Amino acid sequence: MDKSSTLLVHYDKGTPAVANEIKEALEGNDVEAKVDAMKKAIMLLLNGETIPHLFITIIRYVLPSEDHTIQKLLLLYLELIEKTDSKGKVLPEMILICQNLRNNLMHPNEYIRGVTLRFLCRLKETEIVEPLTPSVLQNLEHRHPYVRRNAILAVMSIYKLPNGEQLFVDAPEMIEKALSTEQDPSAKRNAFLMLFTCAEDRAVNYLLSNVDKVSEWNESLQMVVLELIRSVCKTKPAQKGKYIKIIISLLSATSSAVIYECAGTLVSLSSAPTAIRAAANTYCQLLQSQSDNNVKLILLDRLNELKSLHRDIMVELIIDVLRALSSPNLDIRRKTLDISLDLITHHNINEVVQMLKKEVVKTQSGELEKNGEYRQMLIQAIHACAVKFPEVASTVVHLLMDFLGDSNVASALDVVVFVREIIETNPKLRVSIITRLLDTFYQIRAGKVCPCALWIIGEYCLSLSEVESGISTIKQCLGELPFYSVSEESEPTETSKKIQPTSSAMVSSRKPVILADGTYATQSAASETTFSSPTVVQGLLTSGNLRALLLTGDFFLGAVVACTLTKLVLRLEEVQSSKTEVNKTATQALLIMVSMLQLGQSPASPHPIDNDSYERIALCIKLLCHRNDELKKIWLESCRQSFVKMISEKQLREMEELKAKTQTTHAQPDDLIDFFHLKSRKGMSQIELEDQVQDDLKRATGEFTKDENDANKLNRILQLTGFSDPVYAEAYVTVHHYDIALEVTVINRTKETLQNLCLELATMGDLKLVERPQNYSLAPETSMQIKANIKVSSTETGVIFGNIVYETSNVMERNVVVLNDIHIDIMDYISPAICSEVAFRTMWAEFEWENKVAVNTTIQNGREFLEHIIKSTNMKCLTAPSALEGECGFLAANLYAKSVFGEDALVNVSIEKQTDGTLSGYIRIRSKTQGIALSLGDKITLKQKGSSS
């Protein structure tokens, strides 16, 4: 069996040393050669070689050396060699080294004394240590602190040995005496640690008698004090009030590590508002003072934990948390915004929005390369604020509209979606938003932003002046007609020479895209790039954005332009009394639509117009030619009603989610009322009183006695061997995110003692065993528990397999019992999560791993099948319930989940009901890593049959 090692040695790979060469070098007089030979001997020992014949050579030629390096290497060698025989008795030749160790402990050089004392800390053989105890005690009073601090550690290690208390009967008393007079910080820390480990009561007495001086102690000693406080409060919770005062006093320490530990200890020990407030303030101060990004992320994690447990206190510190936005790191900024958005109230909303607006303005400087991405995060945060508190929308909407022409398309898209929602939910802002939008529309260069902006113009231009301005703006952005001139076709070379401007615009590509309902459609997707204008498809390019985008083949945008013009003409008919003006405008709109169709069918277009866009534009032409009241009502009212319904459903879902959260975190209506005046104070401070009240509350609500459900515990027990096997084994598996703890119960069912019984485990997948298995002896018909820890590094279905090996007295060969495999379920690592439609589509396009699972189920109802998949995969359905209502024979939905490792899992369910009643279709899983896509696919394949499987 492998032994534990206390050494970590670096060495360069090369030819292994030969024992004879080492022996010759050790016997020589060259000091450097001896040092090199000792290093080689140590390396051989670390690699499993025994080289017993070297021991006497080392005793004869190395032991007498006065060189410090050789003496240090000698101690490392002695630490590694086998000091006991097979029965556990100390080898007789070990007596030879005792005299040398005693001489070292009395050596005039303090370094030799110190390293020898450190060596004794790692000795486990009482017979070797016993004759050295008087020399160790003498070193407690040595003049040099290096010797004293190592002597204290040696006393602690010897005292912890099986018979250590008999070797040092009054060790705690001596160390306590040394502690009271010691001046060296490290020696003082070691002495206090020894008392804490071996005589806790003495450590507590010393701490309480020096309460006023704790804040002046050294950082390392303060850390041990905090460890002692946590230990004492766990065993004696009634006394934690006086210790909390010590922790609060330590919050003013100079060391950041001590302050951080103090805050963590306060949160773990007390729920008193004063204590939580002090801890939260400490985390916020550290967030400002620490420059390391990893430290900042850890502090934000701590603040996030406090937010979930003590939201009311964290609300007070929202501005302090937001100061972390000064960090240039995007992960820190994202986490800061996530925490802050959950802490917004009516009292602080104006301050928060003001701060976010300042940050948005800062991003215009363009100093940092990721300013666009950061601006997008800020816009989304402001959007969330405005949805929660509509009264702040007026202060931010006009600022954000300046970014409609942002070069970062995602950022501009967030702005236009925000404007679309605000204009509906804040009717008072409608006029100012429309006016601003029409003024800035020409700045919009992104093919994905224009359709949404055009929809807003078509729906919310209501007065005569607004409608006329809307039509005029669109005409200006389209430029002069036609888009495609037949006469120019005959002279392509001339025109191409005349007009060859290069501009930054959108290059179009036709590819399948995922729509809002999760289905695929062919769409002309425009992406921003620098391009040379078409040589044949010309017109005057002096006009704006819409023309440039149409000339690159973005006919989806053309269809949206047609729909917007149709709505504006229909509304003009309502608000304009002059029929002549209406007919004139309608004619101009028809001319534009016909020109777009002509452009789409011309051979010079980058690609022909797609059928969807063609039919849409043709429908608009028919409507303007044959207007009637019924169609007019659909175009002018029904579209807006659908949007209003979508917004109200979104708000309703958010309210339901908020209610679900508040039910679990907030107090109940019949919550406990504290009558402080009726409580016995007994000279307690305010924080002690608060803490006692919180403890009473926890006790009353049963929080102290929450145990895992026994029935649930039984479900997690797995049988590893059969009932007829000589050794029966079963495992209880506990998954703690990054760790899997196995508690294996092993029962000896034979009448013989099983010797060298070993549980050998191996793993498949991203699982890793933490420690080596140990050997045990198991008496007849008895049982024992063996624990094993396994580390998990990614979200993937893993398998643990292995066997139990043992020996019996009758048979010399080893017996093996093969164990059943333990499958680690992916469901233990993923949890439902929420993301926006835009984020879902972006990730869907980016992720390279896709697993396509064909639907094969006995369930005949599409909605029921979807619910079954959601339950089986532990995912969140992002598709609105209203979109899933009704019976049309088709169903498409998007599901989303996040793993504990931060990985995203995307699922799209697309199913169709066949004529015979069965369901067919596909479930597509996409992720950044292969493991999660395959594991989730296997899970769905296994579970999709139906509730019976």
Side-chain angles (χ1 to χ4, degrees):
M1 184 183 72
D2 292 349
K3 297 185 298 180
S4 60
S5 174
T6 53
L7 301 185
L8 185 64
V9 180
H10 168 75
Y11 72 100
D12 296 317
K13 287 185 178 178
T15 55
V18 181
N20 291 336
E21 292 175 7
I22 295 171
K23 188 176 179 183
E24 285 174 19
L26 291 175
E27 290 173 353
N29 295 322
D30 186 355
V31 174
E32 287 187 14
K34 278 190 178 184
V35 168
D36 192 46
M38 284 299 293
K39 286 181 179 177
K40 287 178 179 176
I42 289 167
M43 285 308 307
L44 285 174
L45 286 169
L46 284 170
N47 288 328
E49 301 288 339
T50 53
I51 47 174
H53 58 279
L54 273 185
F55 181 75
I56 297 300
T57 307
I58 287 171
I59 293 295
R60 285 178 63 192
Y61 296 100
V62 179
L63 210 62
S65 175
E66 290 294 323
D67 185 79
H68 291 179
T69 307
I70 290 177
Q71 286 296 321
K72 172 70 174 175
L73 291 168
L74 172 64
L75 293 172
L76 293 178
Y77 170 80
L78 293 174
E79 185 186 328
L80 289 170
I81 61 171
E82 197 67 57
K83 301 172 197 67
T84 56
D85 58 19
S86 58
K87 295 182 180 177
K89 291 185 179 181
V90 175
L91 296 168
E93 55 263 34
M94 287 300 120
I95 305 302
L96 295 170
I97 66 168
C98 283
Q99 184 60 43
N100 179 63
L101 293 174
R102 189 185 290 110
N103 294 340
N104 281 358
L105 291 172
M106 308 308 291
H107 200 279
N109 183 281
E110 59 271 6
Y111 174 75
I112 295 294
R113 286 194 185 212
V115 293
T116 307
L117 287 164
R118 285 177 72 84
F119 167 68
L120 292 180
C121 292
R122 297 192 282 270
L123 268 187
K124 304 297 179 191
E125 290 74 25
T126 312
E127 293 90 334
I128 300 174
V129 173
E130 190 172 359
L132 305 174
T133 50
S135 305
V136 174
L137 291 176
Q138 286 179 28
N139 282 300
L140 287 173
E141 298 171 3
H142 193 272
R143 60 179 174 76
H144 202 284
Y146 177 71
V147 177
R148 293 200 303 274
R149 74 176 77 132
N150 283 307
I152 292 166
L153 288 177
V155 169
M156 181 173 76
S157 300
I158 295 168
Y159 191 77
K160 285 162 70 176
L161 290 174
N163 297 319
E165 293 178 23
Q166 295 171 13
L167 298 176
F168 284 141
V169 179
D170 51 355
E173 194 177 330
M174 285 187 291
I175 296 297
E176 190 175 15
K177 186 180 175 184
L179 179 62
S180 59
T181 57
E182 184 58 66
Q183 297 302 315
D184 179 64
S186 295
K188 207 168 183 177
R189 177 255 180 202
N190 290 352
F192 191 78
L193 180 64
M194 190 273 172
L195 291 181
F196 164 44
T197 310
C198 304
E200 197 175 87
D201 291 341
R202 288 179 185 271
V204 169
N205 291 336
Y206 179 79
L207 174 63
L208 295 177
S209 60
N210 292 278
V211 169
D212 300 334
K213 300 175 187 173
V214 172
S215 55
E216 300 165 13
W217 286 352
N218 178 266
E219 173 190 346
S220 58
L221 182 53
Q222 288 174 341
M223 296 291 269
V224 181
V225 166
L226 290 171
E227 207 174 324
L228 172 70
I229 289 171
R230 282 195 291 267
S231 174
V232 172
C233 292
K234 199 176 282 185
T235 52
K236 300 172 185 174
Q239 296 181 17
K240 67 179 175 181
K242 55 189 174 188
Y243 294 110
I244 288 172
K245 284 194 286 186
I246 298 172
I247 298 170
I248 298 240
S249 71
L250 281 174
L251 285 173
S252 58
T254 53
S255 165
S256 299
V258 171
I259 297 170
Y260 175 78
E261 282 297 322
C262 282
T265 306
L266 265 181
V267 173
S268 65
L269 294 183
S270 174
S271 300
T274 308
I276 299 300
R277 197 171 286 110
N281 273 318
T282 302
Y283 287 142
C284 289
Q285 287 165 16
L286 288 171
L287 199 56
Q288 292 305 306
S289 61
Q290 296 301 305
S291 57
D292 189 291
N293 287 341
N294 291 321
V295 173
K296 284 179 182 282
L297 287 169
I298 291 167
L299 289 165
L300 287 169
D301 282 337
R302 298 291 84 79
L303 286 168
N304 195 28
E305 288 167 10
L306 283 182
K307 180 203 75 180
S308 58
L309 296 170
H310 309 280
R311 184 179 180 274
D312 295 340
I313 293 166
M314 284 297 298
V315 164
E316 303 165 17
L317 302 168
I318 185 169
I319 300 301
D320 293 326
V321 174
L322 278 171
R323 288 197 181 100
L325 290 175
S326 59
S327 168
N329 184 279
L330 278 182
D331 290 328
I332 292 171
R333 286 169 162 175
R334 187 178 289 109
K335 198 165 274 194
T336 302
L337 289 172
D338 288 343
I339 293 170
S340 303
L341 288 176
D342 286 341
L343 299 175
I344 296 170
T345 64
H346 283 287
H347 303 295
N348 60 30
I349 181 66
N350 290 324
E351 278 182 284
V352 171
V353 169
Q354 197 66 31
M355 201 162 180
L356 294 176
K357 278 166 68 178
K358 284 179 184 175
E359 289 294 318
V360 169
V361 173
K362 282 182 196 173
T363 61
Q364 289 177 287
S365 64
E367 291 172 10
L368 298 170
E369 59 181 46
K370 292 193 175 178
N371 267 351
E373 204 173 331
Y374 178 41
R375 183 159 57 246
Q376 185 187 353
M377 284 159 50
L378 289 168
I379 290 165
Q380 288 170 350
I382 292 171
H383 185 173
C385 292
V387 170
K388 279 185 182 177
F389 302 96
E391 64 271 16
V392 301
S394 58
T395 63
V396 294
V397 69
H398 295 300
L399 170 73
L400 294 185
M401 286 181 77
D402 290 338
F403 296 102
L404 281 172
D406 197 344
S407 57
N408 183 329
V409 178
S411 176
L413 193 58
D414 281 330
V415 172
V416 79
V417 169
F418 168 65
V419 171
R420 186 181 67 180
E421 191 166 340
I422 294 304
I423 201 171
E424 174 56 45
T425 54
N426 289 262
K428 292 177 184 176
L429 299 175
R430 187 192 64 78
V431 176
S432 61
I433 289 175
I434 282 294
T435 307
R436 188 68 182 273
L437 180 60
L438 292 172
D439 289 343
T440 57
F441 184 79
Y442 71 93
Q443 297 174 356
I444 302 172
R445 297 285 167 190
K448 291 182 179 179
V449 180
C450 283
C452 193
L454 285 167
W455 186 88
I456 295 169
I457 292 169
E459 287 294 338
Y460 295 97
C461 286
L462 303 179
S463 67
L464 178 60
S465 60
E466 288 168 356
V467 172
E468 287 178 342
S469 297
I471 294 170
S472 173
T473 302
I474 293 171
K475 281 165 67 181
Q476 283 174 10
C477 290
L478 286 170
E480 290 187 20
L481 299 177
F483 298 109
Y484 173 79
S485 174
V486 179
S487 61
E488 289 173 356
E489 190 178 5
S490 59
E491 299 174 355
T493 52
E494 286 181 29
T495 51
S496 62
K497 284 175 186 174
K498 286 176 191 173
I499 306 171
Q500 283 278 344
T502 302
S503 61
S504 176
M506 314 299 291
V507 170
S508 174
S509 62
R510 287 165 61 85
K511 59 181 182 180
V513 294
I514 184 166
L515 300 179
D517 61 353
T519 55
Y520 286 97
T522 302
Q523 179 179 315
S524 307
S527 60
E528 188 163 9
T529 184
T530 301
F531 78 108
S532 295
S533 302
T535 54
V536 179
V537 182
Q538 295 295 345
L540 293 174
L541 296 181
T542 53
S543 53
N545 48 355
L546 293 180
R547 187 185 191 91
L549 291 167
L550 281 171
L551 291 180
T552 59
D554 191 352
F555 294 109
F556 175 75
L557 177 63
V560 177
V561 170
C563 291
T564 305
L565 286 171
T566 304
K567 287 178 185 176
L568 290 173
V569 169
L570 292 174
R571 192 160 281 120
L572 184 68
E573 198 175 9
E574 289 183 347
V575 293
Q576 173 65 272
S577 55
S578 169
K579 294 284 182 185
T580 310
E581 286 296 320
V582 174
N583 290 336
K584 184 180 175 184
T585 308
T587 308
Q588 291 171 344
L590 286 167
L591 181 60
I592 290 168
M593 294 177 203
V594 171
S595 297
M596 286 192 290
L597 290 179
Q598 184 189 21
L599 173 66
Q601 292 176 332
S602 70
S605 174
H607 55 77
I609 187 170
D610 57 282
N611 292 334
D612 288 348
S613 301
Y614 182 88
E615 287 175 13
R616 192 83 170 152
I617 296 171
L619 179 67
C620 294
I621 293 170
K622 286 178 186 173
L623 179 62
L624 288 180
C625 293
H626 307 284
R627 298 192 283 273
N628 65 60
D629 292 339
E630 191 178 343
L631 287 173
K632 195 172 175 181
K633 186 178 179 183
I634 292 170
W635 278 71
L636 296 183
E637 293 177 22
S638 300
C639 291
R640 173 93 67 86
Q641 287 168 1
S642 299
F643 179 63
V644 171
K645 188 181 177 185
M646 186 186 89
I647 293 289
S648 59
E649 280 181 358
K650 181 187 168 190
Q651 290 173 343
L652 188 67
R653 281 206 312 276
E654 287 172 354
M655 286 294 292
E656 285 173 357
E657 284 167 10
L658 200 64
K659 279 181 186 176
K661 280 184 186 176
T662 51
Q663 279 177 1
T664 55
T665 56
H666 285 189
Q668 297 298 324
D670 57 348
D671 209 347
L672 176 71
I673 300 171
D674 299 318
F675 293 97
F676 285 88
H677 298 291
L678 303 179
K679 221 168 169 52
S680 173
R681 290 177 182 265
K682 300 176 190 171
M684 290 194 293
S685 65
Q686 177 65 22
I687 190 165
E688 288 178 275
L689 193 65
E690 284 180 15
D691 190 61
Q692 200 168 45
V693 168
Q694 290 293 328
D695 280 357
D696 289 347
L697 176 60
K698 283 183 179 178
R699 212 169 276 114
T701 54
E703 200 167 320
F704 281 154
T705 56
K706 274 184 185 173
D707 287 321
E708 194 176 353
N709 188 352
D710 288 336
N712 190 32
K713 195 171 179 179
L714 288 171
N715 289 338
R716 300 190 74 84
I717 290 178
L718 302 170
Q719 185 179 333
L720 300 180
T721 63
F723 292 115
S724 59
D725 286 317
V727 177
Y728 175 76
E730 62 184 23
Y732 174 59
V733 184
T734 313
V735 178
H736 299 288
H737 290 187
Y738 298 96
D739 298 287
I740 299 170
L742 291 182
E743 291 179 33
V744 182
T745 304
V746 180
I747 303 171
N748 180 3
R749 304 187 66 212
T750 66
K751 303 288 184 184
E752 300 177 82
T753 300
L754 305 182
Q755 297 171 347
N756 293 330
L757 183 139
C758 180
L759 175 68
E760 296 178 347
L761 296 174
T763 58
M764 192 170 69
D766 281 346
L767 305 175
K768 188 178 180 183
L769 281 168
V770 176
E771 65 235 337
R772 295 278 185 178
Q774 294 184 12
N775 285 2
Y776 303 93
S777 291
L778 195 57
E781 297 182 348
T782 58
S783 65
M784 70 182 305
Q785 278 206 334
I786 302 173
K787 293 188 178 181
N789 289 315
I790 292 161
K791 285 280 179 192
V792 186
S793 56
S794 75
T795 312
E796 191 177 333
T797 301
V799 182
I800 304 168
F801 51 92
N803 46 53
I804 292 175
V805 183
Y806 62 90
E807 295 173 357
T808 57
S809 54
N810 299 339
V811 185
M812 292 308 292
E813 63 185 37
R814 307 197 74 175
N815 297 292
V816 179
V817 178
V818 179
L819 305 178
N820 284 337
D821 296 347
I822 300 172
H823 291 266
I824 303 303
D825 196 347
I826 187 177
M827 294 303 108
D828 292 321
Y829 304 114
I830 68 170
S831 54
I834 298 171
C835 75
S836 65
E837 272 186 26
V838 177
F840 185 92
R841 290 193 209 178
T842 305
M843 287 189 285
W844 188 269
E846 286 175 0
F847 291 174
E848 55 190 38
W849 289 103
E850 178 176 292
N851 190 1
K852 189 175 176 182
V853 180
V855 172
N856 179 18
T857 181
T858 55
I859 300 171
Q860 296 193 340
N861 182 285
R863 189 72 185 270
E864 189 185 328
F865 177 71
L866 178 65
E867 292 294 333
H868 177 65
I869 292 296
I870 292 169
K871 188 179 176 183
S872 303
T873 55
N874 196 26
M875 299 187 88
K876 173 83 178 173
C877 182
L878 300 181
T879 308
S882 58
L884 301 171
E885 287 174 0
E887 288 292 333
C888 67
F890 296 92
L891 185 145
N894 294 333
L895 314 182
Y896 179 65
K898 217 170 176 64
S899 79
V900 294
F901 305 100
E903 298 165 315
D904 301 289
L906 314 177
V907 171
N908 172 251
V909 181
S910 297
I911 50 177
E912 178 186 358
K913 194 161 188 173
Q914 300 297 321
T915 50
D916 60 354
T918 58
L919 297 179
S920 67
Y922 291 98
I923 301 167
R924 289 180 177 84
I925 304 132
R926 283 200 185 180
S927 67
K928 200 174 260 184
T929 56
Q930 182 184 18
I932 196 167
L934 292 177
S935 301
L936 208 50
D938 293 343
K939 185 77 180 176
I940 290 170
T941 305
L942 191 69
K943 293 278 188 178
Q944 70 165 323
K945 282 284 186 184
S947 52
S948 59
S949 56

